[in-house]
Each structure stands twice: as structure tokens, then as C-alpha cells.
Amino acid sequence: MSLRKTLALTTAAVLAAGAVSAQAVDATATTDLNFRAGPGPDYEVLGVIGANDTVAVNGCVEAANWCEVSYDGTTGWAYGEYLNVPVGSETVAISTQPESVTVETIEYEDTRAQSATAGATVGATIGALAGGPVGAIAGGALAGAALGAAADPGPQVVTYVSENPVDPVLLDGEVVVGAGIPDVVDLYDVPESDFQYVYVNGQPVIVDGERRIVRIIR
């Protein structure tokens, strides 16, 4: 199913209450970034915003850690820690709420408990992902890509992780290459490999010996 069709099916369940400002703010994704159906890590992943791609930020929840964005003609939600906006000669994460950038505050009502079409499981987070090297750093997408390339687990590891699912965990934040898995989360070994894995926020991730995500299996 295409991203456009998926978004059309989920719009009624995930749109924020209230109007969105017509004055959008352009932001750039610092890494390949999930495009979700709502403002949280437990919402369905509808697609991926490519590293260095530009999105129009329609507004953010009050904490500015999740923002409603328009991308490729469709609307969804992305994690504000990995959306950069220009401030003078620098770029900073929109989640820092820089004074020079005006973003509409969106009040969001989670209606999934009442909706039979909800595509994600509502749950409580048990911790938070540690910010990766791509978070709020200009040019950080290159750093994240370099990390993944330097620690490529290879097709055999990817196949094993895909074919051996484990109990999922829900963590605050977004899964990106370079983010760290907290110690409270159990990791699972991959036979004959130095890598481990876990299923986080709806997606299998492969991690290195320092508990950093090196591959997200989408």
C-alpha cells in the first residue's frame, strides 16, 4: 500500500484537534526519520523521511518533541529532535524552540482507544533512547550514515533478526542510527556475530557492543 493511501486511511484517527497554522516552517531531517501516524513512538510508521530532505512543519505539540509535518504531499508526524531549522549561521533542532522560529502549538487528542482502525498498540514507555550523533547537529546525517557503514551487520544478521522476533519494548524518542539503547532494555544475541538486537517502537534494530543502533530493519 502506498504512503498516500495509508495516510488517507489513518487521517480520521490521528489528526490533532483544532486548526493548524497556515504558516509552515521548513525543517531538514538530520537522518532517515520515521514518518508516523501520530505524535509518539507507539504510532504506526507510515514511511521514512530521507536524510537531508526538507519538510514543512505545520506545528508541534507543546514540548516540541513531536511535530506535524507535510512531506511529499502528505501529512504525518516526526520527532523534533531530528528536525533542524536555520538560526542565523547555524542549524538547531526545532525541539529547542529557538526564539527566532515561530511554530504553531498543536493540541493533540489520542483517540486510538476508541477507534477500531487504530494501527498501533498503546503502551507505557520503560525508558528513553539516548540521543544519537545525528541529533541537533548540522551535517549530523553524514555522521549517522558513517556509523552505520562502519558497523554493517551484513545480510545474515539482518535475516536472523527478521526471522526471530522478540518481545517489543517502547522507549521515548525515535529509533535512528546512532541512538543508544538504555541498560534497562534486554538485548538478544545473534549467533556467530558480535551484534545484538531488540525490537523497539515497532521496529527491529541491530546494535553494536556499545548498545548503539547501527541498523533499523524497515
Side-chain angles (χ1 to χ4, degrees), residues 61-211:
V61 295
E62 187 172 2
N65 54 347
W66 288 94
C67 299
E68 185 189 71
V69 301
S70 296
Y71 176 66
D72 193 26
T74 57
T75 300
W77 292 79
Y79 193 52
E81 294 286 345
Y82 301 107
L83 294 175
N84 276 2
V85 290
V87 175
S89 60
E90 300 179 347
T91 59
V92 301
I94 201 168
S95 61
T96 64
Q97 304 184 50
E99 293 183 358
S100 61
V101 179
T102 302
V103 179
E104 182 81 5
T105 297
I106 296 180
E107 294 183 5
Y108 186 87
E109 181 181 358
D110 189 346
T111 60
R112 288 174 297 169
Q114 294 80 35
S115 174
T117 62
T121 301
V122 181
T125 60
I126 63 171
L129 287 153
V134 294
I137 299 176
L142 298 178
L147 173 63
D152 184 2
Q156 291 183 331
V157 173
V158 172
T159 298
Y160 180 88
V161 172
S162 300
E163 294 180 350
N164 292 272
V166 294
D167 291 338
V169 297
L170 187 62
L171 298 173
D172 284 329
E174 186 59 280
V175 286
V176 296
V177 171
I181 304 296
D183 292 339
V184 69
V185 176
D186 291 331
L187 301 180
Y188 297 84
D189 294 331
V190 177
E192 300 180 1
S193 169
D194 293 331
F195 295 97
Q196 294 178 295
Y197 72 103
V198 65
Y199 280 48
V200 180
N201 298 355
Q203 295 181 309
V205 300
I206 301 172
V207 302
D208 63 13
E210 298 182 3
R211 303 180 71 92

